[in-house]
Amino acid sequence: MSGKRRGAVAGKRRSEMMEETRAKLIRSARRAFSEKGYAAASMDELTAEAGLTRGALYHNFGDKRGLLQAVVDQIDGEMAARAQAVGARAETEWDGLLAEGIAYIEMALEPEVQRIVLLDGPAFLGDPSQWPSQSGCLQVTLRKLEGLIAGGTVKPVDAEAAARLLNGAALNAALWVAASDRPQEVLVKAIEAFRVLAEGLLVAPG
């Protein structure tokens, strides 16, 4: 094997090992943040559980906050994928878009989502609308709204403005549910209001 090929193989192996290390740390942190909360989770304990050192955490994520960002991005990405899967089963594009928003709000009842994404996330990472995962969701909503506007289902408003407001409504509804001491009651109110607000975009509300 030539030196160049050996170097390429070694580089690939290092890359795979780095990805494996990151995955271990995220998995361990996800469990710790869910069970204890971000503030109470010990870096020494979660790295030991992953069979790694604090040095590995610092090398891959910079610090504990960087690790939280990675965990939040992973869970929020999963939430978006699950919501989109729900939307894909709807009969129409509009019904699918509405179903996605409602599914996202409903996930606020799940303990892991509630604690990590909706409570600790904003507290330690700042405005959720600025998270990379939320930016991805915004682009998906934007493309769908552009299609619905072009097809005459949605009023001819600015698609980006509508996407930001629709996603913001779903996110803030989820944050409200997560922070409430009566989440089930709040969920019903939030979904009803979200549906009414969203339907205001329709050319002919159903």
Side-chain angles (χ1 to χ4, degrees):
M1 185 185 293
S2 69
K4 186 175 181 181
R5 189 174 175 191
R6 276 198 301 272
V9 170
K12 183 180 179 183
R13 191 174 297 125
R14 278 195 300 273
S15 177
E16 288 173 350
M17 287 176 65
M18 186 176 290
E19 281 304 310
E20 186 179 332
T21 297
R22 285 177 62 86
K24 284 180 180 178
L25 285 166
I26 289 173
R27 190 162 52 244
S28 179
R30 187 165 169 167
R31 186 159 45 245
F33 296 161
S34 179
E35 292 172 358
K36 301 175 183 178
Y38 172 76
S42 161
M43 286 195 292
D44 287 331
E45 288 179 8
L46 71 86
T47 51
E49 183 184 328
L52 298 163
T53 64
R54 286 181 67 156
L57 186 155
Y58 294 133
H59 178 71
N60 284 277
F61 300 102
D63 55 18
K64 186 181 177 185
R65 186 175 178 276
L67 181 56
L68 174 63
Q69 181 72 69
V71 171
V72 165
D73 286 347
Q74 184 181 78
I75 299 174
D76 206 29
E78 290 170 1
M79 291 170 69
R82 289 168 58 193
Q84 287 164 24
V86 170
R89 296 195 291 270
E91 291 185 8
T92 68
E93 280 289 316
W94 171 256
D95 288 340
L97 190 60
L98 199 61
E100 284 181 31
I102 291 170
Y104 190 90
I105 298 168
E106 289 174 337
M107 289 178 214
L109 294 178
E110 298 175 14
E112 182 185 53
V113 168
Q114 195 175 98
R115 187 161 205 174
I116 298 176
V117 178
L118 300 173
L119 295 177
D120 282 349
F124 295 98
L125 299 176
D127 182 4
S129 69
Q130 302 301 313
W131 296 346
S133 51
Q134 286 293 320
S135 296
C137 290
L138 176 65
Q139 292 307 310
V140 171
T141 303
L142 174 58
R143 289 194 298 272
K144 290 182 178 179
L145 278 170
E146 286 173 339
L148 288 164
I149 291 168
T153 300
V154 167
K155 295 171 184 174
V157 296
D158 184 87
E160 182 182 355
R164 286 184 179 278
L165 292 172
L166 202 58
N167 277 25
L171 174 60
N172 278 280
L175 291 167
W176 183 31
V177 173
S180 174
D181 55 2
R182 300 187 311 280
Q184 289 284 359
E185 291 178 31
V186 168
L187 178 69
V188 174
K189 296 176 186 177
I191 289 175
E192 181 183 8
F194 176 77
R195 191 186 298 276
V196 171
L197 284 169
E199 288 179 349
L201 292 168
L202 291 174
V203 169

